[in-house]
Amino acid sequence: MSAASCLLTEDQFLCSICLDVFTDPVTLSCGHNFCNKCITEHWDVNVPNQCPNCNKVFYIRPELRVNTFISEMAAQFRQSVQQKTSSSSSEQQAAKPGEVPCDVCTGTKLKALKSCLVCLASYCETHLEPHLTMSGLKRHQLIDPVENLEGRVCTNHDKLLELFCKTDQVCVCMLCTYSDHKAHDVVPLKEEYEGKKAELKETEAEIQQMIQKRRLKLQEIKRSVELSKERADRETAEGVQAFTALKESVERGQAEFIRTIKEKQRRREKQAEDFIKELEQEISELKKRSSEVEQLSVSEDHLHLIQSFSSLNTAPPTKDWLKVDIRPLSHKGTVVRAVIQLEQTLSKQLKKFFENELKRVQQYAVDVTLDPDIVHPKPTQSNDKKQVNERYVCRCVLSKQSFPSGRFYFEVQVNRWSMWTLGVTTKSNVKGRITLSPKNGFWTLCLKQRGGYHVSTDPSVLLPLKSQPEKVGVFVDYEEGLVSFYDVDTAALIYSFTGYPFRDELHPFFSPCNNHTQGPTHSSDSEE
């Protein structure tokens, strides 16, 4: 018998259900063998009764009897395997820190291969053998080695925790269901295990989904940083180009100013040189005449003195130097002209710069419509909801659109109103009496009743505009905290609010007034 079993392979002694060596093997009429427990449990949950291998149907469950021949063969095979494993037990290693040691080993504790939930002990390969060979121990439940097996036993009844109380969310033993957990919702531990495992799979799927979303967000942020750097490099280059042009204009103006001063000074020095030569010549002639007069005045020759007197008495032609005024040059006019010319040049450069800047921000133009539900107090609107009826003016109204991030630009025709206020704010700010200032959530530009353009800083600032804008453009960069106002027709920057940390959604804000009103319903800290 032993020799015959050695000729058989391991697969011939394995149950196709539990994939382990047969325990109490039974043979069906179709010829296939299974563990008695395995086929019984299989048929308990599967209807009709079929052979798991060939699917033959048994309309009446067969009476199962242990096949003693196969049982003996399986036992001998198991013993043979155990002898082989016992021969290699000398090669087993001692349990390392963090590994479960064998509870039976004396002296050096070997690494445990299995833990028994019935014996509440862990066994190395050698001491595990009885659980594999002895019929009484083979029914014990073996699991991968774990520590603290006592924690798997009910402290009240000293029984294995094999049930789960859903009511109290604790593991219990069978006797607990008759005492503290009577009438509670109790299920087998395996059932709860499967449920929790399914929940863990769902949780894992959710976590993976969250990870994926964050990876996408990470890529988005990295891409945003790359785009930001590209934009920063591009705008830096444009800014350097603009400042270089301004610097070159200033340097050219400075060089022209110095050249003009030097040229005027050169002409003055040449004029002074000519005057000096002329004066020196006249002085020389006058000295010569003085010498002749002195000689004649001491002469005792009466005839010679009388004859020479008429020629010496006639003065040689000279310039009236009292009319010649040589004063130090004043270059104030030159400086003023140079500054005016430089200002004109810089104005042209700035106008060109702001024209390009306005074209850039106009790329973010949005179509703004008024929201009839966000008005303070409520005015009458036109049919297209893009303008306010002049009969109900001096009211505050918000746009229907809101902007929680990014950039946007819109334009407002303001020349039809004698007073107006426009800008951006949040929806929550349009309540009660309004005080316009950034700390109250308003970034606005306004034309007041007594004239003058003001921005809603705290306190408000009067802007010395050279011309009255007919159309005003408003540009907002939410992330940069920037609100800029432009005169669209002249492409001039009127004013910019910078460095404000926006947190809420922004709405374009309007408050138009005409000459027949008593004043706006909003107020400003610097209201006249």
Side-chain angles (χ1 to χ4, degrees), residues 417-481:
W417 309 102
S418 60
M419 293 183 297
W420 47 263
T421 300
L422 68 119
V424 293
T425 184
T426 61
K427 183 176 180 180
S428 60
N429 292 327
V430 188
K431 296 178 181 179
R433 182 173 176 80
I434 297 173
T435 301
L436 302 179
S437 70
K439 69 179 182 180
N440 294 325
F442 288 89
W443 294 267
T444 58
L445 169 71
C446 63
L447 172 62
K448 295 191 176 181
Q449 187 175 10
R450 299 184 184 181
Y453 296 88
H454 294 254
V455 287
S456 61
T457 53
D458 191 11
S460 66
V461 174
L462 176 64
L463 301 178
L465 301 186
K466 294 182 180 180
S467 60
Q468 294 184 350
E470 296 186 357
K471 181 185 291 186
V472 176
V474 183
F475 172 70
V476 177
D477 189 326
Y478 193 99
E479 282 70 26
E480 291 292 330

Side-chain angles (χ1 to χ4, degrees), residues 76-133:
Q76 291 185 19
F77 179 81
R78 184 182 291 108
Q79 184 177 6
S80 175
V81 172
Q82 290 171 355
Q83 289 175 353
K84 292 179 181 180
T85 56
S86 62
S87 64
S88 61
S89 61
S90 58
E91 301 177 1
Q92 295 184 72
Q93 297 179 352
K96 298 177 182 179
E99 294 180 338
V100 179
C102 176
D103 292 324
V104 181
C105 288
T106 58
T108 302
K109 296 283 188 178
L110 299 181
K111 177 183 176 182
L113 294 183
K114 293 289 183 179
S115 295
C116 178
L117 295 180
V118 179
C119 302
L120 299 180
S122 299
Y123 303 101
C124 65
E125 185 176 4
T126 301
H127 295 119
L128 181 63
E129 182 180 355
H131 279 78
L132 301 177
T133 57

Side-chain angles (χ1 to χ4, degrees), residues 339-387:
V339 171
I340 292 175
Q341 185 176 4
L342 178 61
E343 181 183 11
Q344 292 173 347
T345 302
L346 293 179
S347 296
K348 290 180 182 179
Q349 294 283 352
L350 289 173
K351 180 176 176 59
K352 183 178 179 181
F353 173 80
F354 284 121
E355 284 177 349
N356 293 334
E357 179 68 11
L358 183 58
K359 290 180 181 178
R360 184 182 70 84
V361 301
Q362 284 176 333
Q363 299 176 13
Y364 302 97
V366 295
D367 189 16
V368 175
T369 56
L370 304 183
D371 191 340
D373 297 324
I374 315 177
V375 180
H376 173 74
K378 188 173 182 179
T380 300
Q381 297 184 356
S382 60
N383 292 332
D384 61 3
K385 296 184 180 180
K386 294 186 180 181
Q387 57 183 330

Side-chain angles (χ1 to χ4, degrees), residues 401-406 408 478-479 502-507:
Q401 296 85 356
S402 63
F403 302 90
S405 62
F408 63 94
Y478 193 99
E479 282 70 26
F502 300 131
R503 294 183 178 87
D504 300 322
E505 295 181 351
L506 295 178
H507 290 258

Side-chain angles (χ1 to χ4, degrees), residues 243-288:
F243 279 106
T244 300
L246 294 176
K247 180 181 177 182
E248 291 175 351
S249 297
V250 173
E251 290 175 348
R252 285 195 299 270
Q254 180 184 14
E256 180 64 22
F257 168 71
I258 294 173
R259 188 194 66 77
T260 302
I261 295 293
K262 288 183 176 180
E263 180 62 23
K264 289 180 66 177
Q265 181 64 23
R266 188 192 64 78
R267 290 198 300 266
R268 178 52 59 91
E269 289 177 357
K270 179 65 171 59
Q271 184 185 36
E273 276 183 27
D274 293 342
F275 284 155
I276 290 171
K277 288 180 180 179
E278 192 173 352
L279 283 168
E280 288 176 345
Q281 180 66 28
E282 288 187 4
I283 290 171
S284 177
E285 294 292 333
L286 288 172
K287 283 183 177 180
K288 181 179 179 182

